[in-house]
Amino acid sequence: MRMKFPLLCMLIIAITVLLLPTKTEATSTPQRSIGLHDRMLPFQAGEVRTVNTQMVVPLEKMARYLNADIIKTANQMTVTKNNTSISYNYKTNETVVNGEIETVSTVQLIDGIPYIPLRFLGEATGFKVDYLSNILTARIYTDTYPHLSHPEFIKKVKTDRQPKPSSKPTTSPPASSDKPIVYLTFDDGPNHSTTENLRILKEYKVKGTFFFVGSQINYNQALTNQAHDEGHYIGLHSMTHDRSKLYASSKAFMGEMQKEADLIKKVTGHTSVLIRAPYGSSPYVTPAMREALKSKGYKLWDWDVDTVDWSISEANYQRIVNNVKNGVEKARRANDKHIVVLLHDRAQTNKALPAIIEWLQKSGYSIERYNPEYHVTQNFGNHKGI
Ligand SMILES: [Zn+2]
């Protein structure tokens, strides 16, 4: 071992010297991108470099994207993720990985910014890193987090890179994070249980989507206003909730929805476009009704997760919580990024709601209310345009 040491040193010096000219070469190589799971990271042009055919990235910025812990002092930056810590000392230009000083620092300053090879950072902190040469993109991911296959991802990136007409509105929410979005929806209010659901949502600073029944809005106008004022979305759930009347004809169906939309507008000032068909759209909402909805600009939301909360007693409210957990996890495994959960304004749901929200927040879901500007198709027949 001892005999080989000078040779190793010479080799390292040789490699280090070889690295130097490639730095200037970096600018002439084509721009490379980084995908974290299914998301392209918003690095600026020229920020991701290539040194000696190796992709290097600004350590701090990349560590933030990986949700690593970052501690900075005057001379040092330490990045910790999944029991691996990488420290870089600006003064000594040394890198320490899990307490061991490296003979050649993995982290190098480029234009005064600490850079690290992407593969090293990714693999040291528990990720897989694959380079997809046909889209000039390194993809960093873990198998425990849901993501597209490489061919699916390549297809998505190629589609995204095609120029789009700038006037066309976005049809899906901006990819601000990797978190799947969960929409908590509450049917059949407004009633006394709505008050408690509103109180809990406020306590957890969460917004929901309420599908109120028109006949009850008449008797609960203050509560309807409260739900609207507190930032929740008020959707349509018919005037009568009566299966035989509502679905008797296309005219009856549209009439009830229009009447309720007018009522909500009168009470709250809010123009509601989202409908939850009582008992679900299938088989009740006919092709003729769908066409009528489309022509009037209404949208139709069923759900991904049926909690069957209405059938569960107050004493057994934990079953509602479990139904949410199982249903949401199943949807996530199926790579659903917009998970709609069906709940009701009921006493047993009031009991379950705090645990539902706490679990969703702890498990890395983003809880949001319906946003008409980014409508996501969510009906049983997967019919587009409603
Ligand atoms: Zn209902």
Side-chain angles (χ1 to χ4, degrees):
M1 259 331 233
R2 188 170 286 197
M3 293 276 280
K4 284 179 186 167
F5 189 68
L7 186 69
L8 189 68
C9 278
M10 276 170 69
L11 199 66
I12 286 164
I13 290 160
I15 290 168
T16 313
V17 168
L18 276 172
L19 271 175
L20 293 171
T22 58
K23 281 181 189 171
T24 46
E25 205 180 273
T27 46
S28 64
T29 53
Q31 183 64 42
R32 284 171 167 81
S33 305
I34 297 169
L36 175 60
H37 291 110
D38 296 343
R39 178 168 68 120
M40 291 302 265
L41 297 178
F43 281 105
Q44 319 249 303
E47 239 182 334
V48 175
R49 308 279 187 109
T50 307
V51 173
N52 234 11
T53 72
Q54 211 174 201
M55 272 173 86
V56 296
V57 287
L59 173 60
E60 184 178 355
K61 195 165 182 179
M62 191 63 216
R64 286 195 197 285
Y65 287 134
L66 298 179
N67 279 324
D69 294 321
I70 301 164
I71 298 167
K72 287 162 86 177
T73 60
N75 298 327
Q76 191 163 300
M77 170 159 57
T78 302
V79 166
T80 308
K81 172 90 183 172
N82 292 335
N83 300 320
T84 295
S85 85
I86 300 168
S87 295
Y88 176 70
N89 190 306
Y90 294 83
K91 258 196 166 166
T92 60
N93 191 31
E94 277 174 340
T95 304
V96 177
V97 179
N98 290 334
E100 303 237 350
I101 300 175
E102 297 188 316
T103 30
V104 177
S105 175
T106 305
V107 179
Q108 295 289 339
L109 289 181
I110 299 180
D111 299 337
I113 298 166
Y115 266 73
I116 191 165
L118 178 71
R119 184 173 295 281
F120 180 89
L121 176 64
E123 290 178 352
T125 54
F127 289 85
K128 288 184 178 178
V129 183
D130 290 336
Y131 185 66
L132 310 173
S133 57
N134 48 357
I135 51 169
L136 300 176
T137 298
R139 193 171 186 213
I140 176 163
Y141 61 99
T142 63
D143 286 330
T144 50
Y145 192 91
H147 58 269
L148 302 171
S149 68
H150 284 338
E152 285 167 339
F153 179 71
I154 290 166
K155 206 175 148 195
K156 177 184 173 288
V157 171
K158 283 183 171 171
T159 311
D160 290 350
R161 280 178 183 173
Q162 269 159 17
K164 295 175 196 74
S166 56
S167 58
K168 210 166 176 244
T170 353
T171 48
S172 62
S176 57
S177 75
D178 281 316
K179 290 181 181 181
I181 299 168
V182 169
Y183 302 87
L184 298 177
T185 68
F186 303 89
D187 285 14
D188 296 354
N191 58 42
H192 58 276
S193 297
T194 309
T195 310
E196 180 63 4
N197 275 339
L198 287 175
R199 191 196 62 73
I200 296 162
L201 292 173
K202 195 178 204 173
E203 185 185 326
Y204 286 91
K205 299 188 173 67
V206 163
K207 305 293 180 209
T209 303
F210 287 84
F211 293 99
F212 284 164
V213 177
S215 58
Q216 288 158 213
I217 293 176
N218 275 322
Y219 303 106
N220 295 286
Q221 296 202 5
L223 194 51
T224 304
N225 260 317
Q226 186 193 335
H228 175 255
D229 289 346
E230 291 179 357
H232 308 290
Y233 191 90
I234 314 287
L236 308 169
H237 199 45
S238 82
M239 286 304 293
T240 63
H241 207 282
D242 184 324
R243 210 181 313 212
S244 59
K245 284 181 189 161
L246 176 64
Y247 297 116
S249 68
S250 198
K251 199 178 161 211
F253 179 74
M254 290 307 293
E256 286 209 22
M257 295 308 172
Q258 189 61 55
K259 197 172 170 190
E260 191 186 10
D262 292 345
L263 179 60
I264 290 173
K265 178 86 181 168
K266 195 184 86 187
V267 172
T268 66
H270 159 69
T271 304
S272 186
V273 296
L274 187 65
I275 292 173
R276 158 86 32 88
Y279 313 100
S281 68
S282 177
Y284 303 105
V285 176
T286 62
M289 292 175 192
R290 280 202 305 271
E291 283 311 309
L293 290 177
K294 214 181 271 183
S295 70
K296 297 271 182 195
Y298 286 113
K299 304 293 179 189
L300 182 65
W301 255 21
D302 288 306
W303 54 84
D304 295 301
V305 180
D306 187 357
T307 64
V308 296
D309 56 342
W310 55 272
S311 70
I312 294 168
S313 70
E314 260 184 84
N316 288 327
Y317 75 90
Q318 187 59 42
R319 280 176 49 202
I320 304 172
V321 181
N322 293 340
N323 289 347
V324 172
K325 289 183 186 176
N326 294 335
V328 167
E329 287 288 271
K330 194 178 159 202
R332 183 176 187 155
R333 282 196 298 274
N335 208 26
D336 192 342
K337 298 285 188 222
H338 300 271
I339 305 167
V340 176
V341 177
L342 170 61
L343 295 158
H344 290 82
D345 283 329
R346 300 263 190 149
Q348 61 271 34
T349 312
N350 293 157
K351 284 205 157 171
L353 190 55
I356 289 170
I357 296 172
E358 282 171 27
W359 177 80
L360 287 169
Q361 291 180 333
K362 186 183 79 198
S363 308
Y365 293 94
S366 165
I367 305 173
E368 291 177 22
R369 53 156 244 183
Y370 175 68
N371 183 349
E373 285 175 46
Y374 298 113
H375 176 74
V376 176
T377 303
Q378 179 73 53
N379 61 75
F380 292 145
N382 202 27
H383 302 291
K384 304 294 173 196
I386 49 169

